[in-house]
Structure formats: structure tokens, C-alpha cells
Amino acid sequence: MKTLPQVRATPEQLPLVSQNRLGIEVICGAAGSGKTSTALLRLNSLCHMFAARLEREEQNRAIRILILTFNRTLGGYIRALAEQQAVQDYEIDLEIDTFSRWAVNKLDYKLGNQHRAQDTLYNLANQITSLTPEYVVKECDYILGRFEPEDIENYLTSERTGRGLVPRVPQPIRQQILEDVIHPYHNWLKQNEVIDWNQLAVHMARDIPSLAYDIIIVDESQDFSANQLRAIKHHLADNHTVTFVIDTVQRIYARGFTWSEVGFDVRSRTHTLHNNHRNTIEIAAFASGILNGIGVDGDGALPNLHAASENGLLPLVLRGRYSQQLAWSIDYIRNNIDLTVESVAFLKPQGGQWFDLIHQTLDRCGIDYANITRERDWPGDPINVATCSFHSAKGLEFDYVFILGFNQENTTYLEEEKDDQIWVLRRLLAVAVARARKAVFIGYKPGEESKLIQFFAHNTFREVDL
């Protein structure tokens, strides 16, 4: 399957790509601005710098490189990119993985039953009646990801960075969460000899000596927790470079951290990419409309229709039965898309059974496809059709994106006073739309449509009744 085309650095990217210096660099930018390709182009230049340094110091060893990604699918994509356009001419020891898999492999700990741990946390969360249990679980994940174990009480007085203002979690509720959820949960973990994913990050920062990576790149780092970043910092060599690729507008998990609290000084080290190399003006405008009113944190950038340079088709909203949406989409692929050189993604808010009918239809029509949700390996040629959840699509790109069966059943959310799921879903939808280079198609059955269609901005799309 196609990845990013092999590119040369643009005038906007060139200063960062060619800037060889030790320490931290933060690459910010909206979807489509070329953050990931910039980081990988920079990797070649950094390898040249470290190869020269090792030669001067008469160190006969490979350059140690770690690339961490938000999910397994993105990891496979970046591995394909790295093999295609980076680090060809140097002796390197290259690791590409998700944080959790990297940590599990290095620590070699038995983690125990994670499903039981999540069920236990959810049951404890039910005691906080002013919030949904789902939101309380996310709040606990935020707490345990941001604060180190001995500092957990700082949650009571700290600003909720990255969490937003709705729903409100005043200090009495925070105290109740600590006393009735967090502390009993930690006791359960200890009694049952389970290490959860947040504890894994703490262990990775404390339990083994530094692995001394020369170069670390962290893609989609807005969804890494503070404790994960502390662990990454622990495993840097004395002389190192670390590149964080970040856009807080695309944050799905409200991890919440400031650079200083995790030990990184980013002053004069943050670079924002403004140009949109992926989307047409029409796709950028549609994605921007979905996010209208959502605040932009530091290190964030909204999709910018003025930064896109090419015109294309208006996004199409297909209104009709699911079978009609599928039939229309198959006809469009056959008549308008060259699958030998162009890529297609069918994306949905959730994975699993939601793709059953799409898979059956593609099989029946003889169209080869790969289900890449949570897959570690990027599909090779000649497959250029993928099915994927919104979550797993983060960081990827395709020529055409189809979001069919966009209904309320798989995009439910409650009132903002008790849960912030509506904000998460809007971000996810904008992320999915912004995967497209050439065209976007969203389909729903009238009467069953997702409430999120209210955020489709007027004049940024065209409707088709099937």
C-alpha cells in the first residue's frame, strides 16, 4: 500500500531538517503539514552527525535509534516510510514500536490480567455519581499518567492541563476520586500482582539503567502521558537528540502535561509547520468546520484552508440506506479510482463487527483489501484498499476516505456536564477526514444519523440523496 511519497524538504522544512544540534526539538503543525515526514527527513541528517561524532570519538558501534508511535498501525506505516526514505547509508540499530510494547520487551515483566484491572477500575468509578464512570476512568488514566506515584496528591491542587473545563471536577470530587477510586485500585493491583499500563511507564523510568539512545523520535506525542515522556528522557544517551512530533488539536487521550514538569526545556526548540501538503482546500475547510469552537492548546494548530494550495472536490455526504452507500462507493471506486496507484480507506469510529458488511462487499466485488486496525505491518503492494478505525488511522494518509454508516449508535455521547466524549468524537472525526488527500465521502441513513453531523459547516460539503 502507498505511503507518503518520497519527498525533498520544502523551504519551510529545510531549516529544521538540516539543523544538526543536540537536545530536544518539537515539531508542531496541523494535520497534513508534513510533521512526520519532516522528522524522518531530519533522521538522515542526524545519522550523518552521529556517524561523524562516533568516528571522531573512535567508538566502533551502531547509532542507537528509537522511534515511538501512538499505535501499532502507525508504527507499521512509519517503519515502511523509514525503510523507503531514511537511514540508508549508516550502521544503525533501529527500533520502531509503540511505547507499551517497547517497555514490555525491555522490562520483561509479567503484567497480569489487564481486562480485570480495567473492570475493577470501572466498578470503582461508579461511586462518583456526578460524572459518568467512563469519564472517571479517563480521569484516573489522566491522573496516573501525569503524576508520579509519590506525587499523586498534587492532583488536588494542580491545573488540569489538557483536560478542558467541562465537565467540572472541583476539589471535593478530586478528593473522592483519589480516596474511593485511585487508592483502592492501586491496592487491588498490588494484591493481584498486576502492573497496569500507567505503572509500566513508571517502571520503565526507574527499574532499568538507561538504554542510551542517540536519537529518539516520538510521533503523535500529544497522546503520550507525562510518565511515558519521563521514561523516554531516562533512556537518552548523554549526547542525544529527541524529536517530538505533536499537534494537541489531534489529542484523543487527555494526557495533560507541561514540558517543564517532565524535564524538557523547549525554549527556542519549538517549530511550527504551517503549509498543508496533504489536503485540498475543500477537505481542510470541512475538517476545520468540524473543530469550530474547540480551543487550541499550546503545540496545536487547526486545519487551515489557507495553508492548502490545491482545489478539489467538495466532500460528499451520502444520504441513504447502508447498502446504497456501499453500492455507490464501490461504483465510484471502479469508475474513478486507479487502485494500482491510488489508495482508499474505509474508516469507522469503532472497529470489529462494524466492518463486517464492508468486508463482505469488498470480497464479493473482488477488491483486495487489508484490515489495518491495530496491525503492526503495513500492507505491501498490490493492496491499496484499507479498512481501519478512526483511532488506528491517526498519522496515516490515503487518497480517498469513505466514512459510511455514520450513525448515532457508534458515536454516542452524553451531556457535557458529566462527560467530554463529544469533544473526543469531534476530534476523532476531524482526524479521520484529514487523512484524505483527494476526496472524502461520508454516508448515513436519514433518521439514524450521528448527532455529529450538526458540526458539518454550511457550504463545506455537498449532499447526495441515494
Side-chain angles (χ1 to χ4, degrees):
M1 176 169 284
K2 288 178 60 181
T3 58
L4 285 164
Q6 189 161 356
V7 296
R8 293 182 177 180
T10 66
E12 184 180 46
Q13 296 168 331
L14 189 59
L16 181 54
V17 169
S18 59
Q19 186 178 62
N20 289 339
R21 60 179 179 177
L22 298 177
I24 182 175
E25 307 289 347
V26 180
I27 303 176
C28 308
S33 59
K35 300 183 296 297
T36 299
S37 59
T38 300
L40 291 177
L41 285 169
R42 185 168 183 262
L43 181 56
N44 254 331
S45 183
L46 292 175
C47 284
H48 177 77
M49 179 184 76
F50 275 97
R53 172 182 283 271
L54 293 175
E55 184 177 357
R56 286 196 308 271
E57 297 174 353
E58 297 182 345
Q59 295 190 52
N60 185 22
R61 65 169 178 83
I63 303 167
R64 293 186 285 264
I65 304 170
L66 174 67
I67 301 177
L68 292 176
T69 65
F70 163 70
N71 60 41
R72 285 185 290 190
T73 307
L74 182 57
Y77 183 72
I78 288 180
R79 184 177 295 106
L81 279 174
E83 291 171 353
Q84 170 184 301
Q85 64 188 43
V87 295
Q88 300 289 336
D89 303 319
Y90 307 98
E91 183 184 357
I92 63 170
D93 180 5
L94 173 63
E95 300 175 51
I96 304 176
D97 225 326
T98 63
F99 179 92
S100 295
R101 187 176 177 89
W102 170 65
V104 167
N105 288 339
K106 298 303 181 184
L107 291 170
D108 196 27
Y109 288 175
K110 293 181 179 179
L111 300 185
N113 193 320
Q114 298 300 308
H115 293 297
R116 281 190 63 203
Q118 279 297 298
D119 289 344
T120 299
L121 183 59
Y122 186 90
N123 291 334
L124 291 167
N126 272 297
Q127 299 174 86
I128 313 298
T129 57
S130 59
L131 301 166
T132 66
E134 291 81 6
Y135 186 83
V136 175
V137 168
K138 289 184 290 185
E139 183 77 356
C140 291
D141 190 49
Y142 161 79
I143 297 165
L144 297 173
R146 179 177 178 184
F147 300 101
E148 296 180 275
E150 60 273 14
D151 297 328
I152 202 78
E153 298 295 328
N154 288 343
Y155 166 64
L156 296 174
T157 55
S158 295
E159 180 184 356
R160 295 169 75 246
T161 304
R163 290 260 56 190
L165 300 177
V166 180
R168 293 184 65 251
V169 186
Q171 189 169 23
I173 300 300
R174 297 190 193 195
Q175 187 72 53
Q176 187 183 4
I177 290 173
L178 287 183
E179 292 178 356
D180 295 345
V181 185
I182 295 288
H183 295 322
Y185 174 64
H186 269 163
N187 290 335
W188 183 91
L189 292 174
K190 184 176 181 180
Q191 292 168 4
N192 289 272
E193 299 181 334
V194 174
I195 299 171
D196 73 1
W197 301 115
N198 286 303
Q199 289 179 325
L200 182 69
V202 175
H203 287 301
M204 193 62 186
R206 300 183 178 188
D207 290 8
I208 59 175
S210 173
L211 297 170
Y213 292 100
D214 302 301
I215 301 170
I216 293 183
I217 296 174
V218 185
D219 200 24
E220 300 288 340
S221 56
Q222 72 275 357
D223 284 313
F224 283 66
S225 72
N227 281 330
Q228 288 174 334
L229 295 188
R230 292 184 182 105
I232 290 167
K233 187 174 187 295
H234 171 67
H235 291 288
L236 288 164
D238 291 338
N239 296 307
H240 63 264
T241 70
V242 56
T243 304
F244 292 105
V245 178
I246 187 168
D247 177 17
T248 55
V249 169
Q250 298 187 67
R251 177 187 290 129
I252 303 305
Y253 299 107
R255 299 301 196 188
F257 64 87
T258 62
W259 289 112
S260 59
E261 75 180 89
V262 296
F264 290 107
D265 184 356
V266 302
R267 290 173 295 181
S268 75
R269 294 289 187 140
T270 300
H271 316 267
T272 300
L273 301 176
H274 298 281
N275 294 330
N276 187 335
H277 302 284
R278 178 190 303 148
N279 307 135
T280 63
I281 293 171
E282 291 77 10
I283 293 171
F286 187 56
S288 183
I290 293 167
L291 294 171
N292 186 37
I294 291 181
V296 179
D297 299 340
D299 302 328
L302 288 170
N304 185 353
L305 65 159
H306 301 295
S309 60
E310 296 185 5
N311 285 105
L313 300 172
L314 274 177
L316 289 185
V317 174
L318 311 173
R319 294 160 44 91
R321 297 190 308 275
Y322 192 38
S323 59
Q324 293 175 309
Q325 298 168 39
L326 273 170
W328 188 97
S329 300
I330 295 298
D331 283 344
Y332 187 93
I333 291 171
R334 284 174 167 166
N335 295 323
N336 299 280
I337 299 175
D338 182 354
L339 290 180
T340 63
V341 294
E342 295 179 304
S343 59
V344 170
F346 288 91
L347 304 181
K348 281 184 174 289
Q350 302 177 37
Q353 63 183 3
W354 294 101
F355 283 105
D356 286 353
L357 189 54
I358 289 178
H359 291 162
Q360 293 167 15
T361 302
L362 292 172
D363 286 335
R364 186 173 65 251
C365 295
I367 298 176
D368 291 335
Y369 67 91
N371 180 10
I372 62 175
T373 301
R374 298 180 61 82
E375 287 296 318
R376 290 182 52 79
D377 296 320
W378 190 247
D381 294 335
I383 296 174
N384 261 336
V385 177
T387 62
C388 187
S389 69
F390 284 4
H391 281 86
S392 288
K394 278 175 61 66
L396 310 181
E397 64 176 63
F398 308 90
D399 291 308
Y400 299 88
V401 166
F402 292 83
I403 303 171
L404 307 182
F406 190 59
N407 60 42
Q408 185 57 21
E409 188 178 0
N410 58 23
T411 56
T412 57
Y413 57 86
L414 300 175
E415 63 273 18
E416 295 174 37
E417 290 76 14
K418 298 189 71 174
D419 202 306
D420 67 348
Q421 183 66 3
I422 184 174
W423 303 98
V424 173
L425 289 170
R426 287 176 66 186
R427 291 174 190 270
L428 274 171
L429 176 58
V431 165
V433 167
R435 300 310 94 202
R437 285 191 283 256
K438 296 182 179 180
V440 174
F441 310 90
I442 299 181
Y444 68 81
K445 179 181 178 181
E448 298 179 6
E449 65 271 19
S450 169
K451 292 180 182 178
L452 294 178
I453 69 168
Q454 66 182 292
F455 299 107
F456 293 0
H458 186 60
N459 290 332
T460 63
F461 65 96
R462 182 167 64 87
E463 290 185 323
V464 175
D465 288 318
L466 303 178

